[in-house]
Short mmCIF file of all heavy atoms in Angstrom, two decimals:
data_model
loop_
_atom_site.label_atom_id
_atom_site.label_comp_id
_atom_site.label_asym_id
_atom_site.label_seq_id
_atom_site.Cartn_x
_atom_site.Cartn_y
_atom_site.Cartn_z
N VAL O 32 -119.49 101.16 -25.94
CA VAL O 32 -118.36 102.08 -25.98
C VAL O 32 -118.01 102.49 -24.56
O VAL O 32 -118.89 102.89 -23.78
CB VAL O 32 -118.71 103.33 -26.82
CG1 VAL O 32 -117.59 104.33 -26.80
CG2 VAL O 32 -119.07 102.93 -28.24
N GLY O 33 -116.73 102.38 -24.24
CA GLY O 33 -116.28 102.73 -22.89
C GLY O 33 -116.03 104.23 -22.74
O GLY O 33 -115.72 104.93 -23.71
N ASP O 34 -116.20 104.70 -21.54
CA ASP O 34 -115.95 106.11 -21.24
C ASP O 34 -114.49 106.49 -21.48
O ASP O 34 -114.20 107.62 -21.90
CB ASP O 34 -116.33 106.44 -19.80
CG ASP O 34 -117.83 106.44 -19.57
OD1 ASP O 34 -118.59 106.54 -20.56
OD2 ASP O 34 -118.24 106.32 -18.40
N ASP O 35 -113.59 105.57 -21.22
CA ASP O 35 -112.17 105.85 -21.39
C ASP O 35 -111.84 106.17 -22.86
O ASP O 35 -111.10 107.12 -23.14
CB ASP O 35 -111.33 104.67 -20.90
CG ASP O 35 -109.86 105.00 -20.82
OD1 ASP O 35 -109.53 106.11 -20.33
OD2 ASP O 35 -109.04 104.17 -21.28
N GLU O 36 -112.39 105.40 -23.78
CA GLU O 36 -112.15 105.65 -25.20
C GLU O 36 -112.70 107.01 -25.62
O GLU O 36 -112.05 107.75 -26.36
CB GLU O 36 -112.77 104.55 -26.07
CG GLU O 36 -112.10 103.20 -25.97
CD GLU O 36 -112.69 102.32 -24.89
OE1 GLU O 36 -113.67 102.75 -24.23
OE2 GLU O 36 -112.17 101.20 -24.70
N LEU O 37 -113.90 107.32 -25.14
CA LEU O 37 -114.50 108.62 -25.48
C LEU O 37 -113.70 109.78 -24.90
O LEU O 37 -113.53 110.81 -25.54
CB LEU O 37 -115.95 108.67 -24.99
CG LEU O 37 -116.93 107.75 -25.70
CD1 LEU O 37 -118.31 107.86 -25.07
CD2 LEU O 37 -117.00 108.08 -27.18
N ARG O 38 -113.19 109.60 -23.68
CA ARG O 38 -112.36 110.65 -23.07
C ARG O 38 -111.08 110.88 -23.87
O ARG O 38 -110.65 112.02 -24.04
CB ARG O 38 -112.02 110.28 -21.62
CG ARG O 38 -113.13 110.55 -20.66
CD ARG O 38 -112.63 110.42 -19.21
NE ARG O 38 -113.78 110.19 -18.35
CZ ARG O 38 -114.11 109.03 -17.83
NH1 ARG O 38 -113.37 107.97 -18.01
NH2 ARG O 38 -115.18 108.92 -17.07
N LYS O 39 -110.46 109.79 -24.34
CA LYS O 39 -109.24 109.94 -25.14
C LYS O 39 -109.51 110.70 -26.42
O LYS O 39 -108.75 111.60 -26.80
CB LYS O 39 -108.65 108.56 -25.47
CG LYS O 39 -107.99 107.87 -24.31
CD LYS O 39 -107.46 106.50 -24.73
CE LYS O 39 -106.89 105.75 -23.56
NZ LYS O 39 -106.42 104.41 -23.94
N ILE O 40 -110.60 110.36 -27.10
CA ILE O 40 -110.94 111.04 -28.35
C ILE O 40 -111.29 112.51 -28.07
O ILE O 40 -110.86 113.40 -28.80
CB ILE O 40 -112.10 110.32 -29.07
CG1 ILE O 40 -111.63 108.95 -29.53
CG2 ILE O 40 -112.61 111.15 -30.25
CD1 ILE O 40 -112.74 108.05 -30.06
N ALA O 41 -112.03 112.77 -27.00
CA ALA O 41 -112.40 114.14 -26.66
C ALA O 41 -111.16 114.97 -26.31
O ALA O 41 -111.04 116.14 -26.72
CB ALA O 41 -113.38 114.15 -25.50
N ALA O 42 -110.23 114.37 -25.56
CA ALA O 42 -109.00 115.08 -25.21
C ALA O 42 -108.18 115.40 -26.46
O ALA O 42 -107.64 116.51 -26.59
CB ALA O 42 -108.18 114.26 -24.23
N LEU O 43 -108.09 114.44 -27.37
CA LEU O 43 -107.37 114.69 -28.62
C LEU O 43 -108.05 115.80 -29.43
O LEU O 43 -107.38 116.66 -29.99
CB LEU O 43 -107.28 113.42 -29.46
CG LEU O 43 -106.14 112.49 -29.15
CD1 LEU O 43 -106.28 111.18 -29.92
CD2 LEU O 43 -104.82 113.14 -29.47
N GLN O 44 -109.38 115.78 -29.47
CA GLN O 44 -110.10 116.81 -30.21
C GLN O 44 -109.86 118.19 -29.62
O GLN O 44 -109.66 119.16 -30.35
CB GLN O 44 -111.60 116.50 -30.25
CG GLN O 44 -112.39 117.50 -31.06
CD GLN O 44 -111.90 117.59 -32.50
OE1 GLN O 44 -111.68 116.58 -33.15
NE2 GLN O 44 -111.73 118.81 -32.98
N GLN O 45 -109.85 118.30 -28.30
CA GLN O 45 -109.58 119.58 -27.66
C GLN O 45 -108.16 120.05 -27.96
O GLN O 45 -107.93 121.23 -28.20
CB GLN O 45 -109.79 119.49 -26.15
CG GLN O 45 -111.25 119.40 -25.76
CD GLN O 45 -111.43 119.27 -24.26
OE1 GLN O 45 -110.55 118.75 -23.56
NE2 GLN O 45 -112.57 119.71 -23.77
N THR O 46 -107.22 119.13 -27.94
CA THR O 46 -105.83 119.47 -28.25
C THR O 46 -105.70 119.92 -29.69
O THR O 46 -105.02 120.91 -29.98
CB THR O 46 -104.92 118.26 -27.98
OG1 THR O 46 -105.12 117.82 -26.64
CG2 THR O 46 -103.47 118.60 -28.21
N ILE O 47 -106.35 119.22 -30.61
CA ILE O 47 -106.32 119.60 -32.03
C ILE O 47 -106.90 121.00 -32.21
O ILE O 47 -106.32 121.83 -32.91
CB ILE O 47 -107.08 118.55 -32.88
CG1 ILE O 47 -106.28 117.25 -32.94
CG2 ILE O 47 -107.35 119.08 -34.28
CD1 ILE O 47 -107.06 116.06 -33.48
N SER O 48 -108.02 121.27 -31.58
CA SER O 48 -108.64 122.60 -31.69
C SER O 48 -107.72 123.68 -31.15
O SER O 48 -107.60 124.76 -31.73
CB SER O 48 -109.97 122.63 -30.93
OG SER O 48 -110.90 121.78 -31.53
N ALA O 49 -107.06 123.40 -30.04
CA ALA O 49 -106.13 124.38 -29.47
C ALA O 49 -104.96 124.63 -30.41
O ALA O 49 -104.55 125.79 -30.62
CB ALA O 49 -105.62 123.89 -28.11
N PHE O 50 -104.40 123.57 -30.99
CA PHE O 50 -103.30 123.74 -31.94
C PHE O 50 -103.75 124.53 -33.17
O PHE O 50 -103.01 125.37 -33.67
CB PHE O 50 -102.73 122.39 -32.37
CG PHE O 50 -101.68 121.84 -31.45
CD1 PHE O 50 -101.83 120.58 -30.88
CD2 PHE O 50 -100.54 122.55 -31.16
CE1 PHE O 50 -100.87 120.07 -30.04
CE2 PHE O 50 -99.57 122.04 -30.33
CZ PHE O 50 -99.74 120.80 -29.75
#
Side-chain angles (χ1 to χ4, degrees):
V32 176
D34 288 341
D35 190 44
E36 290 91 2
L37 292 177
R38 280 191 201 104
K39 287 179 184 178
I40 293 171
L43 275 172
Q44 183 58 47
Q45 288 178 333
T46 305
I47 289 167
S48 294
F50 274 123

